[in-house]
Amino acid sequence: MRLHTYLKRMAFAHPFFLLLYIFSPIPAEAAASPYNLAMRHAYAATITLRIPEGRRLVQQQLLKDPANAAALLIANQQDFLTWAIQQNPEVYDGIIARQENRFWQLGRLKENSVWVSFALAEVRLQIALSKLIQGNKLGAAWDLRQAYLQYTANARQFPEFLPNRKTLGALQVLIGSVPDSYRVLLNIIGMQGSIETGMANLKSADAPGNPFREEAQLLLALLQHLVDPEVNG
């Protein structure tokens, strides 16, 4: 079974699977120039859990183009999925080290593009989720905050980039669903969000010209179910 399909089915069962579904690799057709044919094959191998094949394709791409943000993001997703599925403590330190190195590599790229900015946010979020699975709640909270700030900065700089709105909207809904007593603290550290704002961003991603439209529609339904299960019975 394709990983994306499995997570889609499990998303209603628990918010953790919802997060994994939201932040699984984005479809190739939505990609900008870094997504060449080789990276499309790498993506396909990754989401069908043919990780060694995906790694080989990514490594070949990075040998030719070390600054390919798509390749760095897919490589990071491969490590994140490996850790999230296996949760083998023996490989955790190595995976975190590689993820943080990719984030450092992306940060050093001089290209000021929406793809690089989006990859920075996604990789930072995957680091946060990796730490959360391990039980490092404090470290996860810090990285989650930094990822959220990157998403909001992306939205200001690249307001038409709908994939960022989709992810940002999902986070805003999750933040908005936190009890008021905790939300005050989130607001203090710069993680402001509401269900209404998040849903508005997701609805913006539900546009006819957006290759992520179907995913945005699904996320709207999933998140509505999460925050108000009675809506759909």
Side-chain angles (χ1 to χ4, degrees):
M1 180 185 299
R2 287 166 63 95
L3 175 66
H4 216 251
T5 302
Y6 173 76
L7 294 178
K8 175 180 176 180
R9 293 182 180 179
M10 292 296 295
F12 280 108
H14 193 279
F16 172 71
F17 290 101
L18 173 62
L19 283 172
L20 287 185
Y21 174 76
I22 294 171
F23 303 113
S24 60
I26 65 176
E29 60 266 27
S33 56
Y35 256 129
N36 54 35
L37 182 60
M39 290 303 91
R40 293 183 181 182
H41 288 315
Y43 163 78
T46 299
I47 62 171
T48 53
L49 297 183
R50 292 178 285 124
I51 302 297
E53 179 183 345
R55 288 192 193 281
R56 177 179 58 80
L57 292 169
V58 167
Q59 289 168 358
Q60 290 175 351
Q61 179 65 45
L62 290 174
L63 284 175
K64 296 185 292 185
D65 180 14
N68 187 303
L72 290 169
L73 178 53
I74 296 174
N76 206 75
Q77 190 71 32
Q78 291 162 352
D79 274 348
F80 171 67
L81 291 175
T82 298
W83 166 242
I85 294 170
Q86 297 179 358
Q87 297 189 34
N88 179 1
E90 295 182 1
V91 304
Y92 172 74
D93 289 340
I95 284 178
I96 285 293
R98 290 194 296 274
Q99 289 184 323
E100 291 180 341
N101 182 62
R102 292 187 194 101
F103 181 81
W104 177 81
Q105 288 178 270
L106 286 164
R108 285 177 57 87
L109 296 181
K110 296 181 179 180
E111 176 188 3
N112 182 27
S113 72
V114 63
W115 186 256
V116 171
S117 298
F118 183 64
L120 280 168
E122 292 283 281
V123 169
R124 196 66 180 261
L125 182 61
Q126 290 160 11
I127 292 172
L129 293 175
S130 296
K131 290 181 178 179
L132 184 62
I133 295 171
Q134 174 67 6
N136 182 0
K137 296 180 181 179
L138 183 60
W142 170 256
D143 285 307
L144 179 60
R145 175 183 181 272
Q146 297 302 109
Y148 185 79
L149 295 177
Q150 181 69 57
Y151 284 119
T152 56
N154 293 350
R156 290 192 298 270
Q157 188 174 5
F158 307 104
E160 303 303 319
F161 189 63
L162 298 181
N164 191 79
R165 282 186 173 271
K166 174 184 64 67
T167 308
L168 175 60
L171 287 173
Q172 288 170 329
V173 171
L174 292 173
I175 291 171
S177 66
V178 171
D180 291 341
S181 57
Y182 294 99
R183 204 181 312 162
V184 171
L185 176 60
L186 292 175
N187 291 340
I188 291 175
I189 63 175
M191 295 182 65
Q192 299 178 352
S194 69
I195 294 173
E196 294 76 13
T197 302
M199 287 295 183
N201 270 320
L202 282 168
K203 288 176 181 177
S204 295
D206 180 12
N210 181 17
F212 302 105
R213 186 181 188 186
E214 181 179 349
E215 185 177 349
Q217 291 171 335
L218 177 61
L219 286 173
L220 280 168
L222 291 172
L223 289 168
Q224 183 63 62
H225 179 81
L226 176 66
V227 300
D228 191 359
E230 299 300 323
V231 169
N232 296 314

